Amino acid sequence: MHNTQIENWLKLAGGKENIKLVEHDKGTTTLALKESTKLNMSALTSADVVANVRVTGEQCHLVIRDESSLIYNALQGVGEEEGTALQNSFSILHFVSDVFRPLMPAILGAAVIKIIVAIIALMDTYSSADSSALMDSQTFTIFRIIGDGVFYVLPILVAISTAYRLKSNIYVAASIGGLMFYPEMTMLMSGEKEVHFLGLPLVSQPAFYSTPIWVILTICAAAFLERVVERWSPKFSKGMVAPFLTLLILVPLVLMILGPVGTWIDEYLLEALDSLVANAPVLSVMLLGAVFSLMLIIGLHYWLIAIIINEMVMNGGSMVIAAMLVAIVGQAGAAFANGIRSKEPTSRRLAFWATGTALLGVVEPALYAVNMRKRSSFYAALLGGVAGGLYFGLLSVKAFAMVGNPSLVSLPLFIEEGGLNLLHTCIGVVIAFGVSGGLTYWMAGKGQERGQGSPKASID
């Protein structure tokens, strides 16, 4: 289906050789054509071809709605001005989203399994019957491992996807992404003793180094280094020097940069957050509702576990978990609005699936593959977390049991005997979903009014 669509658009453009420049911006791909006379308008009879043909004097542009970057990724590099397409429209959020899009089938499939396992575990917890035999069975454990497996190797998948998009060596990228999975490295960074590399401390949070954003930035640097080295290396050593230097210099450099950063976070940021939660609970929940998604992206969420444990011991409940809940629901609301506004069937389906998985505890599809594609929806999701967090802070909403990523499935953990904590939790969830979804829908509509509506076949 996709190959047929691309062939039809190429036919409309007059062939690949007639394309001068390929650009992608705000859900559309624009093909700058060399000669307008080579346009094949008969291709518009195909149901798969919806485009806006703009001919002004000698300039001819073919504008195609391409929210999933299908056409852009297929035609990237075509034309005489290769490498200049994104100079004016590059967005790190959009790039990260493009990296995650090809991974969505695996992530969504694993997410459904994780959700089913979580529901079964919750039913077992609140069941009056003794069903612990199921929970303790090896079969249940294996299904849980299957659901977690994709997320466990996600750094490797992200590395491969990034390298594929940058046209660099995917096997070197996979080696970098899998660095922290090496058993001896895992044991070394288990936290039993301090670890130093070339005199610099490494924080005992291996997952911090494998956070997708750091993997993506590392592979981007590796791709740049590979191009530079390959350009200057002799013929007999091409394909060998670049991987050697990448693994010898770049990977240690990343560890030397991230190690002290993680150590500083461990020593100072954790204490600051703990103090903020204790002394200014309303402000802390509102702030965490906004920045938790950012913490997920850069790997800071691992440090929240210690704060949550301290809350549980001191207060019997956690407001941090409540803040995490509205942040995740905010991402779900923005994804849902994107699904309603989207004109592309593939993007619409992905947005709705991502909404469902986010509401049920797996936020990665909504965060990375949907909302990061548009800054407006990403910011709207953060504001939804702020609104829900403000309500939670004012009403002192808490979770009374530990949970990984809170979701609608974990709402029973907010039940307080003789109190209205669960009711306030539901209200805060609705506020977060409504604010993020409403803002995303409104801003998407404003964008369409500025000329981002569904393209039509026309000649200006």
Side-chain angles (χ1 to χ4, degrees), residues 24-317:
H24 185 86
D25 186 29
K26 297 178 181 178
T28 61
T29 290
T30 302
L31 309 182
L33 306 184
K34 298 176 182 178
E35 298 180 29
S36 60
T37 56
K38 292 186 178 180
L39 276 170
N40 187 348
M41 303 300 290
S42 63
L44 291 173
T45 58
S46 171
D48 294 332
V49 177
V50 181
N52 188 351
V53 183
R54 297 175 182 171
V55 181
T56 307
E58 297 182 355
Q59 300 293 322
C60 181
H61 295 86
L62 188 61
V63 184
I64 304 167
R65 177 168 291 280
D66 187 22
E67 295 178 21
S68 62
S69 303
L70 169 67
I71 307 303
Y72 173 74
N73 289 335
L75 301 182
Q76 190 177 18
V78 172
E80 297 172 350
E81 301 173 54
E82 179 179 354
T84 65
L86 290 178
Q87 285 181 355
N88 297 323
S89 60
F90 177 79
S91 165
I92 183 64
L93 294 179
H94 198 283
F95 179 81
V96 172
S97 180
D98 278 347
V99 167
F100 270 85
R101 280 260 170 157
L103 308 180
M104 282 304 106
I107 292 177
L108 287 172
V112 173
I113 295 177
K114 283 175 64 69
I115 290 166
I116 293 174
V117 168
I119 293 173
I120 293 174
L122 185 69
M123 292 173 62
D124 177 79
T125 302
Y126 289 93
S127 174
S128 57
D130 183 13
S131 56
S132 58
L134 171 63
M135 302 300 296
D136 295 336
S137 70
Q138 294 177 340
T139 300
F140 185 84
T141 301
I142 291 173
F143 272 117
R144 180 173 53 78
I145 292 172
I146 292 172
D148 290 337
V150 172
F151 297 92
Y152 181 75
V153 299
L154 188 60
I156 298 177
L157 299 179
V158 167
I160 292 173
S161 182
T162 305
Y164 180 81
R165 179 165 173 76
L166 297 175
K167 298 181 174 61
S168 64
N169 193 311
I170 61 174
Y171 304 106
V172 174
S175 302
I176 295 173
L179 174 66
M180 291 300 162
F181 299 127
Y182 189 70
E184 193 170 352
M185 190 69 164
T186 304
M187 291 178 60
L188 187 66
M189 302 188 68
S190 62
E192 296 180 359
K193 58 182 179 179
E194 292 186 359
V195 181
H196 290 78
F197 178 71
L198 297 178
L200 294 174
L202 298 183
V203 65
S204 57
Q205 291 273 10
F208 173 66
Y209 299 96
S210 299
T211 300
I213 190 65
W214 304 133
V215 174
I216 291 173
L217 292 176
T218 303
I219 303 306
C220 288
F224 175 77
L225 178 63
E226 179 182 326
R227 288 186 175 89
V228 172
V229 171
E230 289 295 321
R231 188 180 301 143
W232 295 103
S233 60
K235 287 185 178 180
F236 72 89
S237 63
K238 283 189 181 294
M240 181 66 67
V241 177
F244 166 69
L245 292 179
T246 298
L247 296 175
L248 179 68
I249 299 174
L250 186 61
V251 176
L253 183 62
V254 170
L255 292 176
M256 291 169 64
I257 293 173
L258 292 182
V261 171
T263 302
W264 182 88
I265 293 170
D266 205 16
E267 291 180 358
Y268 299 105
L269 184 62
L270 183 61
E271 183 179 346
L273 283 175
D274 199 12
S275 175
L276 185 64
V277 170
N279 300 315
V282 176
L283 178 62
S284 64
V285 175
M286 185 174 67
L287 185 62
L288 283 172
V291 303
F292 177 70
S293 297
L294 301 176
M295 296 178 74
L296 275 173
I297 294 172
I298 59 179
L300 297 183
H301 60 294
Y302 299 109
W303 276 271
L304 292 178
I305 296 175
I307 298 177
I308 293 172
I309 293 175
N310 183 59
E311 277 190 297
M312 289 290 183
V313 172
M314 299 299 295
N315 306 320

